[in-house]
């Protein structure tokens, strides 16, 4: 009997240990002996968050909520995280819910790569999420507004709104029918390719004319492009000193030749002005002017006496007058 009781007690202890292990695995892997480190965050509202709720990062459990208390008109949430949870100092905490049943948990972001790892007692920045009850209240208010709108279009009010429109349609049924018929006829003519609009829609001549115009414009643009290319080539040749204009603009030889010619011309004119040389004497010697004038007078007299003497006499007279 004693052995049977000890056997049952041993089996019970084993079952208790197994159950404890299953509960620990179910509730999470945070060390029940208090290992890990604590971080906190402050919220305006925790939305029914409870001690023991999960703390997750990217959907992976990294800890549990260890304590919730009111402080400085806010709710401070203390979280215990595993030692392997790489939470950064600029990570942000947000209270979220898993589903419509309202299971809340704390979600912590990764933070930046350059930020240091959060240590014991670090306070994280928080992000407030809309309250589910407030969202439901807004949805209920919106539904009530839609219901009120539907009520305004029901019963007598709907008749009051549509009544004048119905009367107008009844009173003008003939003109409305004629208008609809005209619109139908016009659409039929357009569909048949009649009239200006119909031809614009179905006649290919407008398209062909537009295509020809566009082609001509394109050809003109290509020609203008070729002209500009040729002009650019000419300017390049001129800049490179090629051709007559290029040499005139870039070659100094023509300038030097022109300058030398002007210098020589200036010297010649100076000598002429000074009376040097044959041309200078012709211009400046008064004696030569007098002799030339006298010779002309003698030639004039000899011409007058041509009628009275023969050729030989004329020649003799001219020679005697000249010498």
């Amino acid at each position: 009997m004693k052995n049977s009781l000890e056997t049952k007690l041993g089996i019970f202890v084993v079952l208790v240990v197994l159950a404890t292990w299953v509960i620990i695995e179910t509730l999470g892997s945070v060390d029940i002996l208090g290992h890990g480190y604590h971080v906190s965050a402050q919220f305006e509202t925790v939305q029914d968050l409870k001690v023991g709720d999960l703390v997750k990062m990217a959907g992976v459990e990294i800890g549990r909520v260890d304590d919730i208390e009111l402080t400085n008109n806010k709710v401070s949430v203390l979280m215990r995280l595993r030692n392997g949870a790489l939470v950064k100092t600029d990570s942000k905490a947000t209270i979220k819910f898993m589903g419509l049943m309202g299971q809340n948990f704390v979600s912590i972001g990764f933070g930046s790569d350059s930020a240091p790892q959060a240590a014991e007692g670090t306070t994280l920045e928080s992000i407030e999420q809309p309250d589910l009850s407030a969202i439901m209240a807004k949805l209920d208010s919106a539904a009530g507004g839609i219901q009120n709108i539907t009520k305004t279009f029901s019963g007598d009010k709907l008749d009051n709104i549509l009544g004048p429109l119905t009367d107008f349609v009844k009173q003008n049924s003939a003109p409305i029918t004629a208008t609809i018929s005209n619109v139908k006829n016009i659409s039929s003519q357009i569909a048949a390719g009649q009239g200006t609009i119909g031809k614009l829609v179905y006649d290919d001549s407008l398209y062909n004319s537009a295509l020809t115009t566009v082609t001509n414009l394109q050809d003109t643009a290509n020609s203008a492009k070729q002209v500009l290319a040729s002009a650019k080539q000419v300017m390049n040749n001129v800049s490179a000193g090629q051709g007559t204009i290029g040499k005139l603009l870039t070659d100094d030889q023509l300038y030097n030749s022109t300058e030398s010619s002007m210098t020589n011309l200036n010297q010649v004119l100076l000598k002429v002005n000074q009376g040097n040389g044959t041309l200078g004497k012709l211009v400046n010697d008064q004696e030569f002017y007098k002799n030339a004038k006298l010779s002309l007078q003698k030639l004039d007299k000899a011409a007058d006496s041509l009628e009275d003497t023969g050729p030989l006499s004329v020649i003799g007279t001219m020679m005697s007058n000249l010498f």
Side-chain angles (χ1 to χ4, degrees), residues 144-154:
I146 294 173
Q147 185 177 6
N148 293 331
I149 292 174
T150 57
K151 287 181 179 179
T152 59
F153 290 102
S154 62

Side-chain angles (χ1 to χ4, degrees), residues 30-292:
V30 178
D31 194 346
I32 61 174
L33 298 178
H35 295 170
Y37 63 100
H38 293 84
V39 296
S40 62
Q42 293 184 349
F43 300 91
E44 297 290 339
T45 176
V46 294
Q47 303 180 12
D48 295 331
L49 186 71
K50 299 181 293 296
V51 175
D53 284 342
L54 297 176
V55 179
K56 294 184 177 183
M57 176 180 284
V60 179
E61 180 185 346
I62 61 172
R64 296 274 176 167
V65 176
D66 207 21
D67 187 24
I68 300 175
E69 63 179 6
L70 297 173
T71 174
N72 297 327
N73 296 325
K74 288 190 175 183
V75 183
S76 178
V77 177
L78 183 65
M79 295 164 281
R80 185 171 59 184
L81 308 179
R82 290 198 302 265
N83 285 326
L86 298 178
V87 177
K88 301 299 184 68
T89 54
D90 61 350
S91 297
K92 297 180 181 180
T94 308
I95 297 177
K96 297 183 179 181
F97 56 93
M98 298 182 189
L100 296 177
M101 298 302 295
Q103 298 89 344
N104 295 329
F105 67 96
V106 180
S107 176
I108 298 179
F110 288 106
S112 60
D113 296 334
S114 60
Q117 183 177 352
E120 175 70 25
T122 301
T123 300
L124 302 179
E125 184 179 352
S126 62
I127 300 176
E128 299 290 340
Q129 288 288 94
D131 191 358
L132 181 60
S133 60
I135 295 175
M136 297 303 295
K138 290 182 179 179
L139 290 176
D140 183 66
S141 177
I146 294 173
Q147 185 177 6
N148 293 331
I149 292 174
T150 57
K151 287 181 179 179
T152 59
F153 290 102
S154 62
D156 295 336
K157 292 184 178 180
L158 185 61
D159 292 336
N160 292 332
I161 294 174
L162 296 180
L165 179 61
T166 304
D167 294 338
F168 174 79
V169 172
K170 289 180 179 179
Q171 294 174 1
N172 298 277
S173 59
I176 293 174
T177 303
T179 302
I180 296 173
S181 178
N182 292 332
V183 171
K184 184 177 179 180
N185 292 331
I186 292 172
S187 62
S188 299
Q189 292 177 0
I190 293 174
Q194 300 175 2
T196 303
I197 298 177
K199 290 181 179 179
L200 289 175
V201 174
Y202 292 99
D203 193 358
D204 293 336
S205 59
L206 178 63
Y207 167 76
N208 295 329
S209 299
L211 182 61
T212 302
T213 302
V214 172
T215 303
N216 293 334
L217 290 175
Q218 187 175 3
D219 294 338
T220 303
N222 293 331
S223 299
K225 185 176 180 181
Q226 293 176 358
V227 171
L228 291 176
S230 300
K232 184 177 179 181
Q233 183 64 34
V234 170
M235 294 303 297
N236 291 334
N237 294 335
V238 171
S239 299
Q242 299 177 4
T244 304
I245 298 178
K247 291 181 180 179
L248 288 174
L249 293 178
T250 59
D251 193 358
D252 294 336
Q253 184 177 359
L254 178 63
Y255 170 78
N256 295 330
S257 300
T258 303
E259 185 179 9
S260 178
S261 299
M262 293 301 295
T263 302
N264 294 331
L265 180 61
N266 189 25
Q267 292 178 356
V268 170
L269 293 176
L270 180 61
K271 290 180 180 181
V272 170
N273 190 33
Q274 292 176 353
N276 297 327
T278 303
L279 184 60
K281 291 180 178 180
L282 289 174
V283 173
N284 296 284
D285 192 356
Q286 295 293 328
E287 187 67 25
F288 177 79
Y289 169 75
K290 292 179 180 179
N291 292 331

